[in-house]
Amino acid sequence: MAIFYQHIGRQLWARDAPRSIGADGELRRFMMIGLEKYLPEIANAEISNLKMLENEVAPTGFQIWGLPSGAQTVVSRMTNGDFLMLLESEKFAYVGQVLHKLSVPSWTLSNHIWNEQSFPIIVFLQGQLINYDWSEFKDNFGISPNYNLRGRTASLSLARITDSKFGDEERFIADIMAKYSVSFQGVEADFRLFDEVATGHFRTVKERTGQSKFRSDVLSKQGAKCAVCDFCVPEGLDAAHVAPKSALGSNDPRNGLVLCALHHRLFDRGLFYFDPETFDVVVNGVWSLTDLGIVHNSIKRLRHIVHESALSWNAEQYRNAGGFVF
Ligand SMILES: [Zn+2]
């Protein structure tokens, strides 16, 4: 996990933060429902992915921050599960964990939130308002007291983190959230929900967002429909691991197959598999293709998208076990 930080400036913070982060100690909360129409640049698969992510790790909503195009070089390395700290002027006013960075610039959402298209690199975050001195940050990480960030975005090098008293990113973020959270009347800070197990929570977000990237990669490469029955409502589609996570199957999209929830279950239970040479569907003999609701008896169209060694690993397990249950 990496830590990114951006200098905003007092005036811009006062103008922009209330619209997307929060103000007066209260977080702004966005939900995917209602936001969708401002994301015409974003593919359906990515949006359905975002909805699932929201359900899993941000059911109380999320914050949104937009970075100018000029920050692209620095934030191209930003991945889900990383952290973004926003520096108002002499103090950090917000820290959030990256739930998702939109895969392409979204001029429409920038315009909707901030009334201008200048912040198209858009990041969905779950975080907390904080009040943490810039000078203390510089001190903690051995950065020169005279260093001026001036509107730019930067990331904290691994060496600075490991050499600091915190030792790792998660410890540092947990520490500033606990010590410097801005509490406000009557409303518990979100952070309190996972105070005791903050670093565990951070890892969970990292893992979940990794899985959601897998889903989004697989759906965008294979198309958003079940490989064997054409069911195409995104909410009912899964990116199934051909070699499952339980057997240390990877998140390489070539180890994935788009299946509807029903066929995912039947596939995992070993009621059918794929011949790794012909890419034909093989059923176990008790039930027919029709019984299983399988419309396509082959996935040849996915020949160069799904890796044959994943299918052959799967078929091998099936043959060895005479059907298997994960
Ligand atoms: Zn299906």
Side-chain angles (χ1 to χ4, degrees), residues 226 228-229 231 260 263:
C226 176
V228 297
C229 81
F231 182 86
C260 67
H263 286 122

Side-chain angles (χ1 to χ4, degrees), residues 144-166:
S144 159
N146 301 321
Y147 175 66
N148 193 332
L149 196 58
R150 240 187 245 110
R152 279 170 300 154
T153 307
S155 67
L156 204 51
S157 74
L158 189 59
R160 286 197 193 276
I161 295 163
T162 48
D163 290 350
S164 75
K165 65 180 177 188
F166 306 101

Side-chain angles (χ1 to χ4, degrees), residues 228-240:
V228 297
C229 81
D230 287 345
F231 182 86
C232 68
V233 179
E235 283 76 359
L237 291 174
D238 297 336

Side-chain angles (χ1 to χ4, degrees), residues 17-160:
R19 295 179 196 165
S20 66
I21 296 289
D24 303 324
E26 193 156 359
L27 284 172
R28 182 87 196 240
R29 293 170 194 280
F30 290 87
M31 308 296 277
M32 278 307 294
I33 189 163
L35 212 59
E36 224 175 317
K37 57 177 179 284
Y38 303 106
L39 296 168
E41 296 93 345
I42 310 301
N44 282 342
E46 188 174 344
I47 289 178
S48 87
N49 200 35
L50 273 164
K51 287 180 183 165
M52 296 214 166
L53 193 59
E54 179 189 17
N55 278 339
E56 284 209 355
V57 298
T60 59
F62 49 86
Q63 290 78 53
I64 295 179
W65 194 247
L67 298 142
S69 321
Q72 183 54 41
T73 317
V74 176
V75 296
S76 62
R77 286 177 283 116
M78 180 187 277
T79 61
N80 302 340
D82 285 348
F83 298 97
L84 177 63
M85 299 173 66
L86 301 177
L87 180 60
E88 183 205 18
S89 59
E90 290 308 310
K91 67 181 177 71
F92 285 100
Y94 176 82
V95 59
Q97 188 167 26
V98 177
L99 297 175
H100 185 77
K101 185 178 71 173
L102 292 180
S103 62
V104 294
S106 182
W107 318 98
T108 312
L109 187 58
S110 173
N111 196 46
H112 168 62
I113 296 179
W114 302 288
N115 295 325
E116 51 179 309
Q117 300 194 334
S118 317
F119 311 107
I121 305 174
I122 291 184
V123 184
F124 294 172
L125 300 150
Q126 194 185 37
Q128 193 55 53
L129 293 163
I130 55 170
N131 191 339
Y132 173 60
D133 278 345
W134 172 226
S135 58
E136 190 176 339
F137 177 86
K138 287 190 281 193
D139 195 40
N140 276 330
F141 294 104
I143 298 167
S144 159
N146 301 321
Y147 175 66
N148 193 332
L149 196 58
R150 240 187 245 110
R152 279 170 300 154
T153 307
S155 67
L156 204 51
S157 74
L158 189 59
R160 286 197 193 276

Side-chain angles (χ1 to χ4, degrees), residues 271-289:
L271 274 79
F272 67 95
Y273 64 96
F274 300 91
D275 184 306
E277 279 164 24
T278 63
F279 280 56
D280 287 343
V281 179
V282 184
V283 294
N284 74 4
V286 176
W287 305 102
S288 68
L289 288 173

